[in-house]
Amino acid sequence: IAFAFADLCDQRDWFSRRAVLLGLASLAGAISRAPAQAAIPMMEEFYQGSGSQVALPKEELQAMEKAYRKAWEKQKSLSITEAASGALTSLNDVPQMLKSGDFDGVRTLLLSPSVGAIGILKSPSRVGGSPYGAWATQCGDSRCESSALIARGALQELEEWCFSKRAIYFNSADKKQVESRDATGKALQKLQENLEEPLEFLEQAKVALEEVARKSG
């Protein structure tokens, strides 16, 4: 199946790409069946192993977890139009993040409540993936279901691309030291200059999210 999808992805025709992304999203859903309204993902499930290896103070971690759970709970009160618009707003910074090489930052954003609620899986553990809030309760009809699947498939492709290109640093000083090495710097520069694929995934997701907002408005 993976090879078949890879072959299809090489085609530039929009409808072929749309079919591929629909297939990827449907396949992910088939792999991890869950109740329509899944439980709030734990903060540790999404953020452990995201690149930062420094433990936070207990009080700070508790405050972050409280804010994180509150942000997920907020998704329940949104209409599908509001959820799609919120995801679009959150994605505005992604192009600049890609250009600066902050691939792990992009993954963190994609797994945050405003975007992750659409049902993004975290690589490589495959945590998440169940639509949450309005994406689970208000997008089950033909008005927005296919567009939501397209958006989910494209964002999942983007998350997996970023995962395959990410680098792990112990702290900001370690990041600066690693990037100062000639070989590392050149490799990162090459990645930053070849962003056609992730930017294409992003654009496909944004178009689909705009369709969701328009059809549901």
Side-chain angles (χ1 to χ4, degrees):
I1 294 174
F3 288 120
F5 279 138
D7 290 339
L8 284 172
C9 284
D10 289 334
Q11 300 178 32
R12 294 301 174 187
D13 181 81
W14 163 248
F15 294 104
S16 294
R17 292 289 297 177
R18 187 178 180 90
V20 169
L21 292 171
L22 273 167
L24 285 170
S26 299
L27 181 61
I31 291 172
S32 57
R33 293 295 181 191
Q37 185 63 68
I40 298 174
M42 293 299 293
M43 186 173 72
E44 293 87 350
E45 292 178 327
F46 279 116
Y47 292 102
Q48 278 184 356
S50 64
S52 175
Q53 305 296 311
V54 180
L56 296 172
K58 182 179 179 181
E59 295 77 12
E60 186 175 346
L61 185 61
Q62 289 175 337
M64 287 176 63
E65 184 165 355
K66 182 178 180 180
Y68 175 80
R69 293 183 64 84
K70 186 176 180 180
W72 276 101
E73 288 289 350
K74 182 182 178 181
Q75 292 296 312
K76 290 182 179 180
S77 65
L78 301 180
S79 68
I80 189 62
T81 302
E82 292 170 329
S85 298
L88 280 166
T89 300
S90 295
L91 293 171
N92 283 338
D93 293 333
V94 171
Q96 185 55 46
M97 294 169 75
L98 289 170
K99 290 172 185 176
S100 66
D102 187 10
F103 305 136
D104 219 44
V106 174
R107 292 181 67 226
T108 298
L109 187 151
L110 294 176
L111 296 165
S112 67
S114 61
V115 182
I118 195 172
I120 309 302
L121 290 161
K122 177 187 176 184
S123 303
S125 64
R126 315 306 287 172
V127 168
S130 297
Y132 189 82
W135 296 106
T137 61
Q138 300 176 36
C139 204
D141 56 37
S142 58
R143 287 184 306 163
C144 74
E145 185 176 21
S146 63
S147 296
L149 286 171
I150 292 294
R152 187 182 309 151
L155 292 173
Q156 188 64 58
E157 291 264 35
L158 177 58
E159 193 276 341
E160 291 172 6
W161 187 94
C162 289
F163 173 75
S164 69
K165 304 298 188 292
R166 83 200 195 291
I168 296 177
Y169 306 104
F170 288 94
N171 49 49
S172 58
D174 179 53
K175 182 176 187 291
K176 189 175 296 185
Q177 183 179 20
V178 171
E179 291 180 351
S180 68
R181 298 171 186 164
D182 188 55
T184 305
K186 288 180 179 178
L188 181 58
Q189 183 179 358
K190 187 174 181 179
L191 276 176
Q192 292 166 320
E193 292 172 352
N194 293 277
L195 297 174
E196 181 179 350
E197 187 175 30
L199 288 173
E200 183 181 355
F201 294 146
L202 177 64
E203 182 60 26
Q204 290 167 347
K206 291 174 71 174
V207 168
L209 287 168
E210 287 167 356
E211 288 181 0
V212 171
R214 185 175 66 253
K215 292 176 182 178
S216 305

